[in-house]
Each structure stands twice: as structure tokens, then as C-alpha cells.
Amino acid sequence: MFDWKKPTVQLLGRWQPWHSGHTALFERALEEYGQVVIQVRDMPKDNDNPFSYEEVWHKIRDSLVAAGHPYTEKYIIMRVPNIKDISY
């Protein structure tokens, strides 16, 4: 089970589409911290964002599984609003 208290890397993006560079970024984050949350911005479909959240979710999961990362407690993929700025 995903450990909500464990230090976690946040990857936030549109992922339109998810590609091998994103997989490499994920792998580096996973190696460093052991847990990753991939946040997918829920974008309106248009020429720049041709894929729905569901299509992006499946592409990410399928790509990571094909790269040897079964969908387990080490990462989650979650929908987030169309975030434009992060303040912390």
C-alpha cells in the first residue's frame, strides 16, 4: 500500500503524451526516494492536449509496467485540477 507518510517525489504534468524521458525522470525519482506520486493535470481536450485523463493514466501505467515497474505501492497516479502555480 502507498505510504502517505513516507517521503515522496511529486511529478506534476500534463503528460501529453507520456514518453521515455518521463519514464527516465520517474525512475530517477523512484531510485532516490523509493516512492513517487505522478499527478496528471486534468486538461480540456484540444490540439495541445489530445488525450483525456483516463487515456493519460493508462499510457503512464502501461509504459511503466512495460519498463519493469508494476503498479504497486511504490507509486500512484492521480488526477489533479489544471494547476497553474504551486506555492509552498
Side-chain angles (χ1 to χ4, degrees):
M1 175 173 278
F2 191 82
D3 183 350
W4 292 87
K5 305 262 187 237
K6 183 177 177 180
T8 304
V9 174
Q10 173 191 20
L11 300 179
L12 170 65
R14 297 176 306 126
W15 317 117
Q16 297 271 344
W18 182 268
H19 55 70
S20 60
H22 296 137
T23 299
L25 178 66
F26 164 83
E27 289 174 336
R28 193 170 47 222
L30 186 62
E31 183 178 322
E32 187 166 339
Y33 286 96
Q35 185 168 280
V36 177
V37 58
I38 301 168
Q39 295 180 319
V40 179
R41 290 171 54 201
D42 195 1
M43 306 293 294
K45 285 181 87 168
D46 60 22
N47 288 338
D48 291 330
N49 302 291
F51 305 108
S52 69
Y53 165 77
E54 290 79 12
E55 291 169 313
V56 173
W57 189 97
H58 285 284
K59 177 67 173 168
I60 294 170
R61 196 239 6 233
D62 294 349
S63 294
L64 293 178
V65 167
H69 304 286
Y71 195 58
T72 64
E73 70 278 351
K74 293 186 178 190
Y75 68 97
I76 59 172
I77 305 166
M78 69 176 5
R79 178 190 315 226
V80 296
N82 184 9
I83 294 171
K84 292 295 202 172
D85 186 47
I86 298 175
S87 299
Y88 62 96

